[in-house]
Amino acid sequence: TILKNNMILPVALALAFVAAVNANCDNNCSGHGTCMTDEVCSCYDNWGVGLNHDSGDCSDRICPFELAWVDTPDSQGVFHKYAECAGRGICNRATGECGCFDGYEGKSCQRTTCPNDCSGHGTCEYIEDMTFAANWNDDSLLYFMGGELTYDYNTWDTRKTRGCVCDATYGDIDCSKRMCPHGNDILDVRNTLSVAEKYQVQRLHFEASDLSDDDLNSRTFALTFTSRLNETFTTIPIVFDDSDITDFTNDIHLALLNLPNRVIDALTVTGQRVSRDSVDIQITFTGNAVQGKQNLIKVEDYECGNGCTPKIDGLGLQTRVGRTPSNISESKVADANSYECGRRGKCDYSTGLCQCFTGYTGDNCNTLTTLA
């Protein structure tokens, strides 16, 4: 009996081998699969036939899969399942590459393109990487940190949907338009003329670490101003010195006033020592170029050494939990507003220059040329 059983096994193996050799699969699986005993091809990865990717003769390539942009739900109501070319392209069965429809790109058509490639004046960014468009004083900048407010985004189109983030002085969805100067509407009437006009005031609160201003005095820092056209300008190094507040505020005033292009054409700076470890600085924007609400100034308080511009020592600021942090806030709202071309002209988006209506002139059309 043992001998008989020992003879059966080799015979069975031999018969299976003969059956496999004699299996006659269509087109010999095109060299891209294994012919099974039932004469059906078992295709290698990414090979098959037809839209359903059946085995067939394994002559067609299968293209990459990604989360579908649009599809029908399954029995559980789930959308955005994996689909070939993400449902936004046609698979080339000869090459295994997706031919994406207009507006989509990537090996599996998994991401959108940006309009007109942002016209060469911006960057194409994923939706989860985009920041709040402009920090219009929504928050005080605690610890002098801010300017790029972000939010968590973890929905199905993460790493798929993209849009343009325009360079400074450019705008619109595809960054194709030059931005024009902003200013106050010269014909706007204040609620009451019995009190002096209010200008925007930004308060910079410096709080030294370790309850001592030794980490501030004689050290250097800089200020960065972002214009309504999203241009950023950083001052020369400023020496922190609260032993002479008048001289200190004069240094800040001159540093901001000397920024390029007269981006800040007039302002006042005052300050006071609040305590032995803290100083308040008030910056009031009074010029025609900075009418209405402005972006919060940013304090560059980090050390920026050799090879860094501007070269500054940095400030030793309070960061301990439970202590008052350094911050920037809007302490007074301006009466004036800030409109494109002062709302008294049209922007020529090809040049970024205002075409003022009759009776108005100036870079932002906020100067009257006639009273009639």
Side-chain angles (χ1 to χ4, degrees), residues 9 12 19 28 50 108 120 143 148 165 169 224 235 252 281 299 330 364:
L9 181 59
N28 292 322
S108 53
Y143 304 105
E148 294 187 350
V165 175
T169 74
T224 295
T235 67
I252 295 176
I281 300 295
V299 176
E330 182 184 47
N364 50 14

Side-chain angles (χ1 to χ4, degrees), residues 251-271:
D251 289 344
I252 295 176
H253 178 270
L254 290 174
L256 290 171
L257 202 59
N258 287 327
L259 289 175
N261 304 336
R262 287 179 56 82
V263 64
I264 299 178
D265 54 344
L267 76 161
T268 61
V269 182
T270 60

Side-chain angles (χ1 to χ4, degrees), residues 120-122 165-172 175-182 226-233 261 263 340 347-353:
H121 301 300
V165 175
C166 298
D167 297 336
T169 74
Y170 287 90
D172 213 347
C175 306
S176 62
K177 293 180 172 61
R178 293 288 300 268
M179 299 172 67
C180 281
H182 288 60
T226 302
S227 73
R228 282 299 311 270
L229 305 186
N230 295 325
E231 302 165 295
T232 57
F233 302 88
N261 304 336
V263 64
E340 183 182 71
C347 179
D348 182 345
Y349 293 117
S350 64
T351 63
L353 300 176

Side-chain angles (χ1 to χ4, degrees), residues 203-219:
R203 170 181 171 270
L204 280 63
H205 178 75
F206 295 88
E207 189 80 19
S209 64
D210 300 323
L211 300 180
S212 170
D213 62 358
D214 291 340
D215 288 329
L216 297 179
N217 273 327
S218 300
R219 300 182 68 85

